[in-house]
Amino acid sequence: MLNKRGWLFVALVAVAALVFALFWWGARPRETTTLTLLGEDTATMQAIESVKGEYETKRGVKIQCIKNTFEVLQQKANADLASGTGLYDIILNYNFSLSSFVRHGWVFTLRDLHEIDPRVGTSDFEKDIFPNIWKEVGFYKTSKDSEPQAIGYPFAGNTMLLVYNKKLFEDPRNQESYRAKYGHELSPPASWAEFRQIAEFFTRPSEKTFGVVLEGAGGGWLYYEWINFAYSMGGGVMKKQFGWEGDVYTPLIIDSPETVAATKYYLGLRPYSAGDFLSTGQNEQAELMRSGNIALAIMWSDVIYSLVHSPNGGRFGFSPIPGGKSQIGGGIYYFSKKSKQKKLAVDFVLFLMQKDTQRKLMEHGLCSPLRSAYDEPGVDKIPYAAALRQALEKGTYMAEAGPDADAVQEAVTLAVQRIARGEVSAEEGLREARVNLERKRAEIFNLAK
Amino acid sequence: MRRAANNRQLTIVIVLLGLVSAAYGSPLLEAFLGAGQKLAPAINLEDGWGRPFLRSGVFACLSTLIFLPSSLFFALLVKDCSKYLRGFLALLMMPMLMGGVALAFIIKLDTMRMNLVTTAIANRAFAPTWGLMLLAQGWQVVPLFLYLFWFRLQLVPERVLRFARASQLTPWEYARDIYWPHTRNLAGILALLGAALSFYEFIKFHLVLRASPGGGTELASHWLLRWYSSYATVDPNYATQVTLAMSAVGVLIAVVVALLAVLVTVAGLDWCLRRHPRALLPWRVRDPRIADAVALVAILATMAPLLGLARYFRWGVFIDLGEFFRSVTLSVAAASVTLLLSIVLGVCVRILLRRTMEKFDSRSAPLFGLLYFLQMVPPIGVALCGYHWLAKLGGTTTWVPLLWLVSQVIVSLPLTASFVQVSHFRVSTRELEFQESSRVGFSDLMWHSFLRRFGLDYGLVAIFGFSIIWTEATVNSTLSSLSRSIPSVAVELSQRVDGRGASYQQAANLILVTLVPVILALALWTFDLRRRKVFSDKSRNGLLGRRMEG
């Protein structure tokens, strides 16, 4: 029998053996060629994971999909590209990274990629990409005076859609009393006036029923929701054609009368909103919609797949948001210049962009950037596909994507939250936001020179 | 100096451990020294660091000032609870052991649908908002502090208690002259831990309140992350350097705030117990009926928030079992290494700095502050240091497991080493000097004065070490995707709780999974206590102490 010192020795040896095993396991070489994709943990990456097996079998390679939260994705992508470690061959990131990635020369343009694979720039699917989406999420100027050029292919065509609770809308009692109260039929709102009426109509806190669930949380949620109202009511933050455009001289319209009116309208919906406005982001919104009696919400298209495939997912209907405009979201496949598998990386993305692959990806949650993918058999069974296509057709710039994108998002969030809390009036809050933004943008564009 | 010269090997161990820790955190110092003018925008901006850091400082001081005395007070009440409840008291450690992400998520689920709460905090009025956050923070630390105080009170030597009984001390005299002197060292280190956790609190404010400057709820760690994100779209190198530099500034502020919180809390308790013990202890502290009632309420109140998870549980396989077991094994391995190093460090420090490190006081507090240096680094700072070293290793994934192990040890060492050190305070300086004069060899000294005596304490520290590594998300998230051998359950949980791929149902199930090894560890701990007869009636009133003191 071992004494206590003996046991201690055995324990020490066991720990050493475990640590050695750990080191050995991690250090042993991979048996096959591996392509590494880094992206945000959304339906897009989940869809890619679901089809990658087909490519792996065909090419005899391994595709590793690394999914992270938005913040971690940014940290990893920036650290890898800035230090040139080349850990990630393809990075699925948003259009506000264009400025930083292209200015620093960390990623290939499509023109560069044509040298690696001649199919780039000549493939049929390129004509099939929604042009407004590609221009918004995938083009950038490689130098100050050059024409914008394509940096990568869009991995998705995202936008925000109106999600409504069909169960509430189809209830005959609700239809009757709505008709009696407002003099017209209860249907998904086509205008912001109707949106407010419906929100008001369904708000009955005693019955735990609410008209809408707004996203008032920081970290981008409030900003991306607010711009739907601001731009479709004639206001916004800046006047320009694309999110990535602009410089320190681009005129700001953040305190224009239209923006002030839109902000007042937006915050006027707060009494009809379920949950805690200031802490409601996308997850809280989806959770409240899923489990509560809430009539309306404006949600990102790439989270709708998980909403539809959750318990009670069949109760939702979808349409483009009121106001005749939809914002464009999403990003592109960035090809790292330090990748050790450049040719393979291009080949895999070309595989993903094929119409047939896009159909399969759509069935697993992708919002395809290819127009013809929406005509593919089976896609019409996706409950939000028709609304998504309509919204993408009229998609336009709303969200900032230049080097000042995050500063704009923060300024808007700060101002609208302070207005919501009653600290300042809408006029005062937005004027302060303009002044702060002018100062910060000057600093940012100076830094970005 | 003479002692260090005589114990060269011990000095080398301390210096080496210090150097490894300092090396990991060196990018902070490097960035701070190299930042120069670049720091100006971060410091001068109107939307600058002042308010969030001030808010963090106040939160850290306030939470320490409230939580520590209240935990001690409840521990005194619970001290003599029935043997049937003693085993269940270990459940009080659960909120801390389940990790910040799970805890914040549970609080979120509990408060999300409570009309009373959402209405009260709707416009982020000061009192309800801070009240809620103090409650949330309190749920994590108060039960843990209570349990650790309770455990320490079980170790009061029988001879001391016999003397107290013979002297017919009143309950408040017990508290002042017997219990407080025996818990004061622990109180000091718990105050330091509580202040450090609160100063860089991130996830609870982030998940429950969605902390933001507009909401008036942003703390230092949120500001740092926001600052990094904001400038990363302009120039990631600039954003990284300034964030690291500001993290270094933050470490200094955090250390000062933590030491201030410790000083105020411990000195305040000293003063109160000396001057106004009756005000602190209005009830009889040795009444078993009160002890049972308080213990029961404490256990139920600690476990009650977990009920919020129930509605989200769904049966089904949601995690790769192979990955789960690999994660557990690797966390155990890393925790074992951490424990070994903590013990070695604890013994070396106790022998070499025997006067300085004989109790928690103004002489040892700066050393604990130094030890807590990495505990005071905000999550974004830890992550950026990890990326820095990954880049230094040339991006080769071969070294990732080793980097992971080193990072985990460094991140968990402050807490485990400080707890070990508090246990080692029980080895008197006189005993060490006697052993030295008797020319007792190092291995015998280590065995008889430390290893044999503190088996239980080391067991508890091992559980803490395991839970820190098991639930830690920052280092795991930085490195896990680069090697198949790195555990990723914690990363998976943080992605299911927050982010655009979140799923509350999967998160609830994952929390259940992460709790399995924690519950197992607590069961083993309780079994060990039972084996050592801590729960027997004989051990009541401190009989255990005699056995423990050996």
Side-chain angles (χ1 to χ4, degrees):
Chain A
M1 223 16 217
L2 284 171
N3 62 13
K4 284 192 177 176
R5 287 190 202 206
W7 279 116
L8 189 67
F9 179 74
V10 169
L12 279 170
V13 171
V15 168
L18 266 173
V19 172
F20 177 76
L22 152 85
F23 183 66
W24 171 79
W25 184 273
R28 69 201 177 103
R30 295 186 186 282
E31 54 282 359
T32 48
T33 306
T34 302
L35 191 70
T36 308
L37 271 78
L38 175 70
E40 192 181 7
D41 186 12
T42 61
T44 304
M45 282 295 277
Q46 287 157 14
I48 291 173
E49 273 197 318
S50 67
V51 303
K52 68 174 187 165
E54 190 185 325
Y55 185 83
E56 286 175 327
T57 314
K58 206 156 65 181
R59 291 281 191 273
V61 295
K62 187 170 164 44
I63 308 290
Q64 189 189 12
C65 292
I66 297 171
K67 299 174 289 178
N68 284 115
T69 57
F70 174 77
E71 290 80 8
V72 177
L73 159 68
Q74 302 310 323
Q75 289 166 23
K76 284 188 175 174
N78 288 330
D80 182 56
L81 293 172
S83 60
T85 39
L87 291 167
Y88 312 109
D89 303 293
I90 302 166
I91 298 170
L92 282 75
N93 209 346
Y94 300 98
N95 52 351
F96 42 76
S97 290
L98 279 166
S99 162
S100 161
F101 291 2
V102 175
R103 265 189 296 114
H104 290 96
W106 291 333
V107 293
F108 287 117
T109 64
L110 284 194
R111 212 173 284 163
D112 300 329
L113 291 173
H114 181 75
E115 305 295 318
I116 295 168
D117 190 325
R119 287 175 296 166
V120 174
T122 57
S123 293
D124 286 345
F125 71 82
E126 291 175 10
K127 297 181 199 83
D128 197 19
I129 299 172
F130 287 102
N132 49 342
I133 290 170
W134 198 1
K135 279 272 170 63
E136 178 64 34
V137 301
F139 276 63
Y140 202 72
K141 291 179 176 179
T142 48
S143 64
K144 201 181 170 188
D145 302 319
S146 67
E147 282 298 304
Q149 61 167 300
I151 308 300
Y153 296 124
F155 58 74
N158 289 329
T159 185
M160 290 187 88
L161 293 176
L162 177 79
V163 179
Y164 60 93
N165 189 327
K166 279 195 294 189
K167 200 176 138 198
L168 289 177
F169 275 71
E170 286 166 5
D171 185 333
R173 283 172 304 172
N174 285 333
Q175 288 177 339
E176 200 176 311
S177 46
Y178 184 86
R179 199 182 308 118
K181 190 170 179 185
Y182 297 105
H184 58 97
E185 293 300 318
L186 175 62
S187 61
S191 69
W192 289 119
E194 281 178 27
F195 187 93
R196 189 189 169 104
Q197 276 177 2
I198 292 170
E200 184 189 33
F201 173 75
F202 280 110
T203 302
R204 298 161 212 153
S206 57
E207 296 169 34
K208 297 201 168 178
T209 303
F210 289 89
V212 65
V213 52
L214 297 176
E215 296 178 303
W221 306 120
L222 184 150
Y223 169 72
Y224 287 108
E225 185 170 79
W226 174 86
I227 54 176
N228 290 304
F229 295 84
Y231 280 89
S232 64
M233 292 183 186
V237 180
M238 290 178 221
K239 268 220 179 320
K240 55 187 186 182
Q241 204 184 347
F242 300 108
W244 45 264
E245 273 183 334
D247 55 23
V248 72
Y249 304 109
T250 309
L252 297 177
I253 55 165
I254 190 170
D255 57 345
S256 69
E258 292 83 3
T259 314
V260 171
T263 305
K264 284 181 179 171
Y265 172 89
Y266 174 65
L267 291 175
L269 294 169
R270 210 180 151 195
Y272 317 124
S273 182
D276 173 38
F277 174 70
L278 292 172
S279 65
T280 301
Q282 175 199 283
N283 303 329
E284 293 82 2
Q285 185 192 49
E287 189 53 34
L288 289 166
M289 281 298 280
R290 206 174 280 136
S291 56
N293 287 327
I294 296 158
L296 303 167
I298 296 175
M299 300 179 81
W300 274 108
S301 55
D302 58 349
V303 299
I304 290 177
Y305 177 80
S306 63
L307 182 77
V308 168
H309 289 85
S310 65
N312 302 327
R315 66 156 78 147
F316 299 111
F318 309 92
S319 75
I321 62 164
K325 286 182 181 175
S326 291
Q327 69 170 295
I328 295 172
I332 56 171
Y333 298 102
Y334 290 96
F335 295 90
S336 168
K337 282 188 177 172
K338 297 288 176 185
S339 163
K340 291 157 195 94
Q341 314 284 349
K342 296 179 185 81
K343 206 167 169 52
L344 186 65
V346 175
D347 188 61
F348 181 61
V349 169
L350 291 175
F351 159 77
L352 290 177
M353 295 304 293
Q354 298 309 308
K355 197 159 63 176
D356 188 47
T357 318
Q358 288 285 309
R359 179 185 56 78
K360 290 175 194 158
L361 287 166
M362 281 192 81
E363 284 166 0
H364 289 95
L366 179 82
C367 300
S368 176
L370 294 194
R371 192 174 263 146
S372 64
Y374 293 82
D375 298 325
E376 284 287 287
V379 171
D380 57 340
K381 290 191 179 64
I382 299 170
Y384 53 88
L388 176 62
R389 182 182 186 157
Q390 280 178 51
L392 290 179
E393 293 285 4
K394 54 184 178 183
T396 181
Y397 141 76
M398 287 189 191
E400 293 304 322
D404 55 345
D406 205 76
V408 170
Q409 181 269 111
E410 277 181 19
V412 168
T413 305
L414 176 69
V416 178
Q417 286 190 336
R418 290 185 67 213
I419 298 164
R421 292 172 66 208
E423 278 189 16
V424 284
S425 67
E427 289 82 0
E428 208 180 331
L430 293 173
R431 195 176 56 245
E432 277 178 22
R434 182 177 56 79
V435 174
N436 288 338
L437 205 49
E438 276 170 352
R439 195 173 53 229
K440 196 156 182 185
R441 289 182 79 242
E443 183 200 318
I444 286 171
F445 282 104
N446 187 36
L447 203 65
K449 268 179 191 168
Chain B
M1 286 305 289
R2 190 168 56 83
R3 194 171 291 134
N6 290 344
N7 295 280
R8 264 188 219 143
Q9 295 92 331
L10 305 190
T11 314
I12 289 169
V13 169
I14 295 176
V15 170
L16 267 180
L17 279 173
L19 279 178
V20 172
S21 295
Y24 188 82
S26 65
L28 296 171
L29 190 66
E30 204 179 299
F32 178 68
L33 295 176
Q37 289 296 314
K38 289 180 189 170
L39 267 180
I43 289 172
N44 293 336
L45 265 185
E46 208 165 274
D47 170 32
W49 58 291
R51 277 189 190 183
F53 276 76
L54 181 67
R55 212 174 273 131
S56 282
V58 173
F59 186 66
C61 289
L62 201 61
S63 55
T64 312
L65 211 56
I66 295 171
F67 299 153
L68 197 86
S70 49
S71 312
L72 179 63
F73 174 69
F74 287 121
L76 287 171
L77 292 179
V78 169
K79 194 183 79 61
D80 290 319
C81 71
S82 126
K83 65 177 179 183
Y84 302 107
L85 286 169
R86 289 178 181 206
F88 291 105
L89 275 181
L91 289 172
L92 295 177
M93 292 193 280
M94 191 98 116
M96 179 60 102
L97 298 182
M98 72 169 73
V101 177
L103 192 113
F105 179 63
I106 292 167
I107 297 166
K108 179 163 192 75
L109 293 186
D110 288 336
T111 54
M112 204 172 143
R113 288 190 181 78
M114 285 169 82
N115 250 342
L116 185 73
V117 176
T118 53
T119 311
I121 63 167
N123 286 327
R124 300 296 184 262
F126 177 78
T129 308
W130 277 64
L132 175 67
M133 291 332 293
L134 283 170
L135 264 178
Q137 189 74 353
W139 183 39
Q140 186 172 25
V141 297
V142 171
L144 174 83
F145 289 2
L146 194 164
Y147 186 78
L148 294 177
F149 277 131
W150 171 84
F151 179 60
R152 183 67 193 93
L153 289 171
Q154 305 304 306
L155 306 182
V156 176
E158 171 57 12
R159 59 186 160 75
V160 176
L161 290 169
R162 260 204 310 267
F163 169 78
R165 274 197 297 274
S167 309
Q168 295 189 321
L169 296 186
T170 59
W172 39 90
E173 283 169 337
Y174 262 96
R176 184 188 62 193
D177 301 326
I178 309 291
Y179 299 136
W180 175 236
H182 278 85
T183 49
R184 195 179 178 282
N185 287 328
L186 178 64
I189 206 67
L190 291 183
L192 191 60
L193 172 68
L197 285 176
S198 299
F199 190 87
Y200 275 129
E201 167 50 39
F202 177 81
I203 191 72
K204 288 190 228 62
F205 271 68
H206 172 68
L207 264 187
V208 180
L209 294 178
R210 293 280 173 200
S212 65
T217 45
E218 192 179 48
L219 297 183
S221 49
H222 306 115
W223 182 85
L224 281 164
L225 181 62
R226 188 166 64 82
W227 207 92
Y228 171 81
S229 306
S230 193
Y231 282 87
T233 53
V234 188
D235 184 348
N237 287 323
Y238 171 79
T240 302
Q241 195 182 7
V242 177
T243 307
L244 282 170
M246 285 306 292
S247 298
V249 174
V251 170
L252 287 178
I253 299 173
V255 170
V256 171
V257 166
L259 289 177
L260 183 74
V262 173
L263 185 77
V264 171
T265 313
V266 177
L269 273 169
D270 269 338
W271 186 81
C272 285
L273 281 163
R274 216 174 299 126
R275 299 286 175 93
H276 303 287
R278 283 166 195 260
L280 274 178
L281 299 163
W283 298 306
R284 293 182 60 203
V285 290
R286 300 186 65 210
D287 187 332
R289 282 171 308 175
I290 291 178
D292 288 350
V294 175
L296 197 64
V297 170
I299 293 166
L300 292 177
T302 303
M303 302 307 288
L306 292 170
L307 292 175
L309 283 176
R311 65 186 291 173
Y312 292 95
F313 288 137
R314 298 280 186 283
W315 292 113
V317 178
F318 45 86
I319 188 167
D320 184 324
L321 282 179
E323 187 173 299
F324 172 76
F325 286 118
R326 202 169 63 242
S327 298
V328 175
T329 313
L330 293 166
S331 297
V332 169
S336 308
V337 174
T338 308
L339 178 68
L340 277 177
L341 289 176
S342 302
I343 294 171
V344 169
L345 184 69
V347 172
C348 293
V349 166
R350 187 70 195 92
I351 293 172
L352 282 181
L353 306 169
R354 64 186 62 158
R355 291 281 174 204
T356 313
M357 297 301 276
E358 66 182 356
K359 61 182 173 184
F360 190 87
D361 59 9
S362 55
R363 278 189 300 180
S364 60
L367 286 179
F368 277 107
L370 203 65
L371 184 64
Y372 267 66
F373 152 67
L374 278 170
Q375 191 79 42
M376 310 275 188
V377 180
I380 177 76
V382 175
L384 292 178
C385 285
Y387 295 127
H388 172 90
W389 287 110
L390 198 59
K392 286 274 180 227
L393 294 173
T396 46
T397 50
T398 315
W399 291 99
V400 168
L402 193 64
L403 182 61
W404 176 83
L405 182 70
V406 172
S407 308
Q408 290 293 9
V409 169
I410 289 173
V411 168
S412 49
L413 198 69
L415 193 133
T416 52
S418 60
F419 276 21
V420 165
Q421 198 54 48
V422 170
S423 301
H424 289 180
F425 283 153
R426 300 201 319 259
V427 180
S428 70
T429 303
R430 212 158 43 166
E431 180 185 333
L432 290 173
E433 280 169 353
F434 173 76
Q435 306 245 36
E436 195 178 59
S437 61
S438 310
R439 297 185 182 279
V440 173
F442 177 70
S443 60
D444 283 332
L445 175 70
M446 189 154 172
W447 177 251
H448 290 293
S449 292
F450 296 96
L451 298 182
R452 220 181 77 176
R453 196 184 290 181
F454 299 119
L456 255 184
D457 303 61
Y458 295 154
L460 195 55
V461 170
I463 293 174
F464 287 137
F466 172 78
S467 89
I468 293 170
I469 294 162
W470 175 241
T471 60
E472 195 282 331
T474 308
V475 173
N476 276 326
S477 167
T478 308
L479 301 174
S480 65
S481 55
L482 303 174
S483 170
R484 279 168 299 165
S485 58
I486 307 296
S488 59
V489 175
V491 181
E492 191 66 24
L493 175 62
S494 58
Q495 286 179 197
R496 297 287 80 84
V497 161
D498 197 19
R500 301 186 70 222
S503 158
Y504 286 7
Q505 184 195 315
Q506 287 177 13
N509 285 349
L510 264 174
I511 288 175
L512 200 64
V513 169
T514 55
L515 283 181
V516 170
V518 170
I519 291 170
L520 201 65
L522 288 181
L524 282 172
W525 163 251
T526 310
F527 172 75
D528 196 31
L529 285 182
R530 199 177 286 277
R531 193 175 61 83
R532 291 170 194 247
K533 300 195 170 47
V534 177
F535 301 147
S536 74
D537 280 330
K538 274 172 80 180
S539 73
R540 276 198 178 197
N541 303 322
L543 278 179
L544 174 76
R546 187 174 48 183
R547 242 188 324 274
M548 289 299 158
E549 294 294 310

